[in-house]
Amino acid sequence: MFRYIVRRLLGIVPTLLIVSIFIFLFVHMIPGDPARLVAGPDASYQDVELVRQELGLDKPLVSQYFTYISNLAQADLGTSMKTKRPVFDEIAARFMPTFWLTVWSMAWAIVFGLLIGVISATKRNKWQDYTGMFSAVSGISLPSFWLGLMLIQLFSVQLGWFPTGGNESWTGYILPSITLGAGVAAVIARFTRSSLMDILREDYIRTGRAKGLKENVVVWKHALKNAMIPVVTMTGLQFGFLLGGSIVVETVFSWPGLGRLLIDSVSFRDYPVIQAEMLLFALEFILINLIVDILYGVMNPQIRYE
Amino acid sequence: MENGTVIVQSEDQVIQHEAENVRTPLLEFWRKFKKQRMAMIASSFILLLFVVALIGPFIAPYSAVEPDYNNILSPPSMEHLAGTDAFGRDIFSRIIEGTRISLFVGLSSVFVGAVVGTVLGLISGFYGGRLDSIIMRFCDVLFAFPGILLAIGIIAILGPGLGNVIIAVAIFGIPTFARIVRSSTLAIKATVYVESARSIGAPAKRIIWKHIFPGTISSIIVYFTMRIGTSILTAASLSFLGLGAQPPSPEWGAMLSSGRDFLNTAPHVTFFPGLAIFITVLAFNLLGDGLRDALDPKMKD
């Protein structure tokens, strides 16, 4: 087990390296002179040159990269062009709202996704299955920004049950997390259904039924346990979807999180913040995939020794 | 066309006219696909969408761009089926005109992503070795940026606009296609017929295009259809965020975004464009599901 974890950890090193190079080059890929971009359109030639030296843009690319990495190691992500504050502080202030939004979305998506998936698989080709799977494909097709705005219109404007945005009270979490979780719940439902249906065809399920186990025990204890292995992987990957989806949902609900910061930064062309956010999202995603991979190994011993 | 007797008839005709074609893959596919009612409805709807995209301006009851200041934000009525927006423009007509944009963005971006991804996947799977690990590493890096983030990053570099959205969404689709095609390539490479083609000295190019590529087509078609829905959704999201099509354009995401300010007084301005996106994406996803079940029953979500 220990060797398996070490191997997985080593496996992400090259990806991390290339991702960091990509993000480092990000500022250099923007058409035009990055120093002029940072200095602003009205800056004089001297100012631009000053900025160039300050940012180290006059040095060779390789040494710039090493400076970038060593700054990263010291949690120095540069200064925001918009607020002139350290990017690290900007991001740190926005991290928790996004984190909790993601967690709540995932929590309800797992509960409902599993439930719909299990019902659809056990009531195969009955009305429950058709309803469940039609809701699931609808969930995947729903534009989250539209769903969010319609929920606001109905529950905040018409009924006045929840706030239209912001995270001041816990009620503020309900609509955004429903909006964000809908797509994930749908994916989990579809995946649970197909995985569980495969397992329900296995011999040991027939044995369980033959020896007189209750259907509930067969499904929830024996079948679901094995059906969960691919579902866990899929669910882990959906975290990435949530991270991306939070960008749209936070804009709809005026959520003070990382996603809205990213959109604000893109429209302001605040490149240090964009760069740092891209890195953070990518790191989070790589980390989640790593955890999922390891969990997969824990759950399925066959994988570990391949 | 859809009941059992007709199926028998058509097979009879096939036997009479073209005896050698009794069970071509295409007929086999059609036989399975026809049974999927949802996918059949979805494909008729998509056909309708294409017709609307082609002849849109001729059938739209009003102009999509001309303002009408006597009719600002009027709710849905018999004259304006989906109401009017803040400039008094008929929303129904704008949705009809926007069909062309959404379909074009969806199709072109997936097409570019599919072509590049397929070529990379074929090369990666066929040649293996160092080339394979370089290509797969490249895909890993693209995959490291979750969801819409990669597209936003690309837009941040290229600047906002519909053209750049197409490029961004295309790049976003490359790694998925590359991985799918690579895994089918690996499976087909191990078959006896590829081995025999190789042993009679067929060049690599011929083996790839004549023997391996046709085997990967069914999974490419399924993912192509499924990705169209995702791409339309991603493009609409980017326009909603102000990074894609810009306001006067009747692009659905941009229309929806401009309705946000009137959500309290005129919810129809946001409702109908969103409904159009939803139904279109739903149709492509249902078609994708149907194609998957008909073409490749082993393939899962």
Side-chain angles (χ1 to χ4, degrees):
Chain A
M1 193 64 229
F2 177 71
R3 279 183 53 194
Y4 173 76
I5 294 176
V6 171
R7 207 172 62 209
R8 289 285 147 172
L9 274 173
L10 289 177
I12 64 165
V13 170
T15 313
L16 275 181
L17 196 73
I18 302 174
V19 165
S20 71
I21 294 174
F22 246 62
I23 292 172
F24 159 72
L25 287 176
F26 179 77
V27 177
H28 296 270
M29 286 191 283
I30 300 157
D33 179 1
R36 174 152 286 282
L37 273 169
V38 173
D42 306 322
S44 68
Y45 180 74
Q46 276 85 356
D47 286 344
V48 173
E49 283 310 307
L50 212 65
V51 167
R52 195 188 309 283
Q53 275 169 25
E54 209 176 293
L55 295 178
L57 290 169
D58 50 344
K59 297 200 188 77
L61 217 53
V62 178
S63 90
Q64 280 186 47
Y65 175 71
F66 282 112
T67 318
Y68 173 69
I69 292 293
S70 76
N71 284 346
L72 264 187
Q74 299 161 43
D76 176 7
L77 296 166
T79 315
S80 161
M81 286 154 64
K82 190 178 165 192
T83 60
K84 309 290 177 218
R85 287 175 53 202
V87 174
F88 186 84
D89 297 356
E90 291 282 331
I91 285 183
R94 302 290 199 113
F95 185 78
M96 286 325 269
T98 300
F99 176 77
W100 283 116
L101 179 62
T102 317
V103 168
W104 281 113
S105 308
M106 198 45 135
W108 89 259
I110 289 174
V111 172
F112 278 87
L114 276 182
L115 210 62
I116 294 173
V118 171
I119 292 172
S120 285
T122 49
K123 305 278 180 195
R124 192 178 177 184
N125 292 338
K126 299 211 175 85
W127 67 267
Q128 293 97 326
D129 183 21
Y130 292 127
T131 320
M133 284 305 108
F134 191 75
S135 336
V137 73
S138 305
I140 293 170
S141 315
L142 269 176
S144 59
F145 47 94
W146 184 60
L147 177 64
L149 288 172
M150 290 303 117
L151 289 175
I152 290 178
Q153 164 65 16
L154 186 63
F155 292 105
S156 307
V157 179
Q158 304 271 340
L159 298 167
W161 291 356
F162 306 111
T164 53
N167 64 340
E168 284 78 27
S169 72
W170 65 271
T171 49
Y173 277 87
I174 294 174
L175 295 184
S177 58
I178 290 176
T179 311
L180 187 53
V184 178
V187 174
I188 295 178
R190 279 159 68 106
F191 214 71
T192 307
R193 175 181 180 267
S194 67
S195 172
L196 189 58
M197 268 174 10
D198 285 348
I199 299 285
L200 285 174
R201 275 193 284 266
E202 297 280 338
D203 286 343
Y204 63 83
I205 296 299
R206 195 180 310 129
T207 310
R209 281 179 181 146
K211 72 179 187 182
L213 287 179
K214 290 202 178 68
E215 187 61 22
N216 272 335
V217 178
V218 172
V219 171
W220 290 95
K221 198 171 161 214
H222 295 261
L224 197 61
K225 209 168 164 187
N226 289 298
M228 283 312 288
I229 294 172
V231 175
V232 167
T233 315
M234 198 60 209
T235 307
L237 293 176
Q238 290 304 308
F239 258 109
F241 177 86
L242 285 184
L243 289 173
S246 65
I247 298 170
V248 178
V249 174
E250 285 180 9
T251 308
V252 172
F253 287 94
S254 322
W255 198 259
L258 292 170
R260 205 157 60 98
L261 179 65
L262 181 65
I263 294 305
D264 291 346
S265 309
V266 170
S267 37
F268 195 82
R269 300 185 151 244
D270 193 346
Y271 292 112
V273 179
I274 303 174
Q275 203 178 12
E277 285 230 28
M278 300 268 296
L279 183 72
L280 182 68
F281 275 124
L283 281 184
E284 271 183 63
F285 195 39
I286 292 174
L287 201 69
I288 291 165
N289 283 349
L290 179 74
I291 295 170
V292 169
D293 247 8
I294 292 173
L295 259 178
Y296 192 63
V298 174
M299 288 169 72
N300 189 358
Q302 283 175 338
I303 303 296
R304 240 177 289 161
Y305 305 108
E306 260 173 23
Chain B
M1 284 288 283
E2 277 181 54
N3 59 43
T5 50
V6 180
I7 295 174
V8 177
Q9 272 181 5
S10 68
E11 280 186 357
D12 279 350
Q13 284 170 353
V14 169
I15 292 166
Q16 283 165 9
H17 298 301
E18 294 173 272
E20 69 276 19
N21 278 348
V22 175
R23 285 178 87 79
T24 64
L26 210 61
L27 268 179
E28 183 72 1
F29 157 73
W30 179 239
R31 195 179 58 81
K32 283 188 194 156
F33 185 72
K34 238 180 343 190
K35 283 190 198 143
Q36 321 231 359
R37 212 177 313 146
M38 287 312 280
M40 285 300 286
I41 298 171
S43 43
S44 333
F45 181 73
I46 289 167
L47 214 62
L48 178 78
L49 278 180
F50 276 103
V51 173
V52 169
L54 280 176
I55 60 167
F58 302 103
I59 55 165
Y62 297 89
S63 158
V65 283
E66 284 297 308
D68 173 6
Y69 292 109
N70 296 321
N71 253 322
I72 286 171
L73 295 175
S74 48
S77 62
M78 282 317 283
E79 287 114 74
H80 298 284
L81 288 175
T84 60
D85 66 7
F87 297 94
R89 296 172 298 203
D90 181 50
I91 292 175
F92 184 62
S93 306
R94 283 174 66 74
I95 289 177
I96 287 178
E97 297 244 333
T99 310
R100 181 178 289 187
I101 303 175
S102 287
L103 286 190
F104 178 72
V105 171
L107 283 174
S108 57
S109 59
V110 180
F111 184 76
V112 174
V115 169
V116 178
T118 302
V119 171
L120 287 179
L122 284 171
I123 293 173
S124 194
F126 185 78
Y127 290 103
R130 182 171 288 179
L131 207 55
D132 178 35
S133 40
I134 291 174
I135 292 175
M136 282 304 112
R137 198 52 78 192
F138 166 74
C139 290
D140 282 348
V141 172
L142 289 186
F143 265 128
F145 299 99
I148 201 173
L149 183 74
L150 183 66
I152 291 177
I154 296 167
I155 298 279
I157 295 172
L158 299 175
L162 207 56
N164 293 342
V165 165
I166 296 177
I167 297 173
V169 178
I171 295 177
F172 176 63
I174 292 175
T176 321
F177 280 103
R179 281 205 178 165
I180 291 158
V181 173
R182 175 178 177 268
S183 69
S184 356
T185 305
L186 285 177
I188 297 168
K189 208 174 94 176
T191 57
V192 181
Y193 66 84
V194 169
E195 205 185 311
S196 29
R198 222 187 266 201
S199 58
I200 59 168
K205 215 167 117 187
R206 187 184 162 84
I207 296 177
I208 291 177
W209 291 111
K210 286 265 174 188
H211 301 289
I212 294 180
F213 176 64
T216 62
I217 285 180
S218 65
S219 40
I220 294 174
I221 290 176
V222 171
Y223 271 87
F224 191 92
T225 318
M226 291 186 159
R227 290 300 296 198
I228 293 174
T230 318
S231 294
I232 292 177
L233 213 52
T234 311
S237 306
L238 289 170
S239 293
F240 172 78
L241 294 171
L243 305 175
Q246 300 299 320
S249 156
E251 200 276 339
W252 296 341
M255 282 173 72
L256 202 152
S257 174
S258 68
R260 278 183 72 190
D261 300 336
F262 320 106
L263 193 60
N264 296 350
T265 48
H268 64 268
V269 183
T270 37
F271 178 75
F272 288 104
L275 189 67
I277 301 171
F278 171 51
I279 296 176
T280 306
V281 176
L282 182 65
F284 278 107
N285 283 340
L286 286 171
L287 178 64
D289 280 357
L291 287 176
R292 182 192 58 202
D293 292 345
L295 282 172
D296 198 353
K298 277 167 293 177
M299 207 148 80
K300 295 279 152 61
D301 289 67

